[in-house]
PDB file of all heavy atoms in Angstrom:
ATOM      1  N   GLN A1169      -0.040  11.040   1.035  1.00  0.00           N
ATOM      2  CA  GLN A1169       0.659  12.317   1.158  1.00  0.00           C
ATOM      3  C   GLN A1169      -0.078  13.157   2.187  1.00  0.00           C
ATOM      4  O   GLN A1169      -1.274  13.360   2.091  1.00  0.00           O
ATOM      5  CB  GLN A1169       0.691  13.054  -0.186  1.00  0.00           C
ATOM      6  CG  GLN A1169       1.239  14.464  -0.103  1.00  0.00           C
ATOM      7  CD  GLN A1169       2.670  14.553   0.423  1.00  0.00           C
ATOM      8  OE1 GLN A1169       3.521  13.783   0.031  1.00  0.00           O
ATOM      9  NE2 GLN A1169       2.913  15.495   1.305  1.00  0.00           N
ATOM     10  N   LEU A1170       0.639  13.626   3.166  1.00  0.00           N
ATOM     11  CA  LEU A1170       0.087  14.450   4.234  1.00  0.00           C
ATOM     12  C   LEU A1170       0.299  15.915   3.875  1.00  0.00           C
ATOM     13  O   LEU A1170       1.406  16.313   3.517  1.00  0.00           O
ATOM     14  CB  LEU A1170       0.800  14.110   5.537  1.00  0.00           C
ATOM     15  CG  LEU A1170       0.324  14.764   6.806  1.00  0.00           C
ATOM     16  CD1 LEU A1170      -1.113  14.394   7.113  1.00  0.00           C
ATOM     17  CD2 LEU A1170       1.219  14.332   7.955  1.00  0.00           C
ATOM     18  N   THR A1171      -0.775  16.693   3.943  1.00  0.00           N
ATOM     19  CA  THR A1171      -0.691  18.124   3.670  1.00  0.00           C
ATOM     20  C   THR A1171      -1.259  18.869   4.860  1.00  0.00           C
ATOM     21  O   THR A1171      -2.312  18.515   5.383  1.00  0.00           O
ATOM     22  CB  THR A1171      -1.500  18.498   2.413  1.00  0.00           C
ATOM     23  OG1 THR A1171      -0.978  17.787   1.294  1.00  0.00           O
ATOM     24  CG2 THR A1171      -1.444  19.992   2.133  1.00  0.00           C
ATOM     25  N   ILE A1172      -0.555  19.913   5.278  1.00  0.00           N
ATOM     26  CA  ILE A1172      -1.060  20.771   6.343  1.00  0.00           C
ATOM     27  C   ILE A1172      -1.394  22.123   5.727  1.00  0.00           C
ATOM     28  O   ILE A1172      -0.595  22.685   4.979  1.00  0.00           O
ATOM     29  CB  ILE A1172      -0.063  20.912   7.512  1.00  0.00           C
ATOM     30  CG1 ILE A1172      -0.638  21.816   8.601  1.00  0.00           C
ATOM     31  CG2 ILE A1172       1.295  21.378   7.045  1.00  0.00           C
ATOM     32  CD1 ILE A1172       0.171  21.865   9.881  1.00  0.00           C
ATOM     33  N   TRP A1173      -2.595  22.608   5.996  1.00  0.00           N
ATOM     34  CA  TRP A1173      -2.970  23.966   5.614  1.00  0.00           C
ATOM     35  C   TRP A1173      -2.440  24.839   6.745  1.00  0.00           C
ATOM     36  O   TRP A1173      -2.946  24.806   7.857  1.00  0.00           O
ATOM     37  CB  TRP A1173      -4.475  24.092   5.459  1.00  0.00           C
ATOM     38  CG  TRP A1173      -5.026  23.355   4.258  1.00  0.00           C
ATOM     39  CD1 TRP A1173      -4.335  22.573   3.374  1.00  0.00           C
ATOM     40  CD2 TRP A1173      -6.369  23.319   3.834  1.00  0.00           C
ATOM     41  NE1 TRP A1173      -5.170  22.068   2.424  1.00  0.00           N
ATOM     42  CE2 TRP A1173      -6.444  22.508   2.674  1.00  0.00           C
ATOM     43  CE3 TRP A1173      -7.542  23.886   4.303  1.00  0.00           C
ATOM     44  CZ2 TRP A1173      -7.620  22.262   1.989  1.00  0.00           C
ATOM     45  CZ3 TRP A1173      -8.727  23.638   3.613  1.00  0.00           C
ATOM     46  CH2 TRP A1173      -8.758  22.845   2.481  1.00  0.00           C
ATOM     47  N   HIS A1174      -1.415  25.585   6.457  1.00  0.00           N
ATOM     48  CA  HIS A1174      -0.591  26.199   7.489  1.00  0.00           C
ATOM     49  C   HIS A1174      -0.618  27.715   7.447  1.00  0.00           C
ATOM     50  O   HIS A1174      -0.666  28.323   6.385  1.00  0.00           O
ATOM     51  CB  HIS A1174       0.846  25.695   7.295  1.00  0.00           C
ATOM     52  CG  HIS A1174       1.848  26.168   8.289  1.00  0.00           C
ATOM     53  ND1 HIS A1174       1.700  26.005   9.651  1.00  0.00           N
ATOM     54  CD2 HIS A1174       3.039  26.787   8.117  1.00  0.00           C
ATOM     55  CE1 HIS A1174       2.757  26.510  10.270  1.00  0.00           C
ATOM     56  NE2 HIS A1174       3.582  26.994   9.357  1.00  0.00           N
ATOM     57  N   ASN A1175      -0.574  28.303   8.638  1.00  0.00           N
ATOM     58  CA  ASN A1175      -0.411  29.743   8.810  1.00  0.00           C
ATOM     59  C   ASN A1175       0.779  29.928   9.744  1.00  0.00           C
ATOM     60  O   ASN A1175       0.660  29.705  10.948  1.00  0.00           O
ATOM     61  CB  ASN A1175      -1.668  30.371   9.410  1.00  0.00           C
ATOM     62  CG  ASN A1175      -1.521  31.849   9.676  1.00  0.00           C
ATOM     63  OD1 ASN A1175      -0.471  32.442   9.451  1.00  0.00           O
ATOM     64  ND2 ASN A1175      -2.586  32.452  10.173  1.00  0.00           N
ATOM     65  N   PRO A1176       1.933  30.315   9.220  1.00  0.00           N
ATOM     66  CA  PRO A1176       3.127  30.421  10.060  1.00  0.00           C
ATOM     67  C   PRO A1176       3.011  31.447  11.185  1.00  0.00           C
ATOM     68  O   PRO A1176       3.767  31.389  12.144  1.00  0.00           O
ATOM     69  CB  PRO A1176       4.236  30.814   9.084  1.00  0.00           C
ATOM     70  CG  PRO A1176       3.630  30.929   7.750  1.00  0.00           C
ATOM     71  CD  PRO A1176       2.186  30.616   7.834  1.00  0.00           C
ATOM     72  N   ARG A1177       2.066  32.357  11.108  1.00  0.00           N
ATOM     73  CA  ARG A1177       1.876  33.341  12.181  1.00  0.00           C
ATOM     74  C   ARG A1177       1.047  32.776  13.339  1.00  0.00           C
ATOM     75  O   ARG A1177       0.966  33.395  14.394  1.00  0.00           O
ATOM     76  CB  ARG A1177       1.179  34.591  11.639  1.00  0.00           C
ATOM     77  CG  ARG A1177       2.028  35.347  10.638  1.00  0.00           C
ATOM     78  CD  ARG A1177       1.344  36.598  10.180  1.00  0.00           C
ATOM     79  NE  ARG A1177      -0.089  36.374  10.015  1.00  0.00           N
ATOM     80  CZ  ARG A1177      -0.886  37.110   9.276  1.00  0.00           C
ATOM     81  NH1 ARG A1177      -0.421  38.136   8.625  1.00  0.00           N
ATOM     82  NH2 ARG A1177      -2.168  36.836   9.185  1.00  0.00           N
ATOM     83  N   CYS A1178       0.439  31.620  13.134  1.00  0.00           N
ATOM     84  CA  CYS A1178      -0.439  31.015  14.147  1.00  0.00           C
ATOM     85  C   CYS A1178       0.359  30.022  14.995  1.00  0.00           C
ATOM     86  O   CYS A1178       0.940  29.066  14.477  1.00  0.00           O
ATOM     87  CB  CYS A1178      -1.593  30.308  13.453  1.00  0.00           C
ATOM     88  SG  CYS A1178      -2.636  29.351  14.563  1.00  0.00           S
ATOM     89  N   SER A1179       0.349  30.237  16.304  1.00  0.00           N
ATOM     90  CA  SER A1179       1.124  29.358  17.185  1.00  0.00           C
ATOM     91  C   SER A1179       0.623  27.918  17.131  1.00  0.00           C
ATOM     92  O   SER A1179       1.422  26.983  17.168  1.00  0.00           O
ATOM     93  CB  SER A1179       1.099  29.875  18.619  1.00  0.00           C
ATOM     94  OG  SER A1179      -0.211  29.860  19.147  1.00  0.00           O
ATOM     95  N   LYS A1180      -0.676  27.714  17.037  1.00  0.00           N
ATOM     96  CA  LYS A1180      -1.213  26.336  16.983  1.00  0.00           C
ATOM     97  C   LYS A1180      -0.801  25.652  15.687  1.00  0.00           C
ATOM     98  O   LYS A1180      -0.501  24.459  15.680  1.00  0.00           O
ATOM     99  CB  LYS A1180      -2.742  26.340  17.113  1.00  0.00           C
ATOM    100  CG  LYS A1180      -3.240  26.829  18.449  1.00  0.00           C
ATOM    101  CD  LYS A1180      -2.811  25.924  19.562  1.00  0.00           C
ATOM    102  CE  LYS A1180      -3.399  26.398  20.877  1.00  0.00           C
ATOM    103  NZ  LYS A1180      -2.769  25.783  22.013  1.00  0.00           N
ATOM    104  N   SER A1181      -0.784  26.414  14.599  1.00  0.00           N
ATOM    105  CA  SER A1181      -0.368  25.850  13.327  1.00  0.00           C
ATOM    106  C   SER A1181       1.116  25.482  13.364  1.00  0.00           C
ATOM    107  O   SER A1181       1.521  24.402  12.906  1.00  0.00           O
ATOM    108  CB  SER A1181      -0.654  26.849  12.199  1.00  0.00           C
ATOM    109  OG  SER A1181      -0.439  26.272  10.941  1.00  0.00           O
TER     110      SER A1181
END
Side-chain angles (χ1 to χ4, degrees):
Q1169 172 59 44
L1170 185 62
T1171 300
I1172 180 172
W1173 290 3
H1174 182 55
N1175 177 358
R1177 294 183 321 201
C1178 173
S1179 64
K1180 295 296 183 194
S1181 188

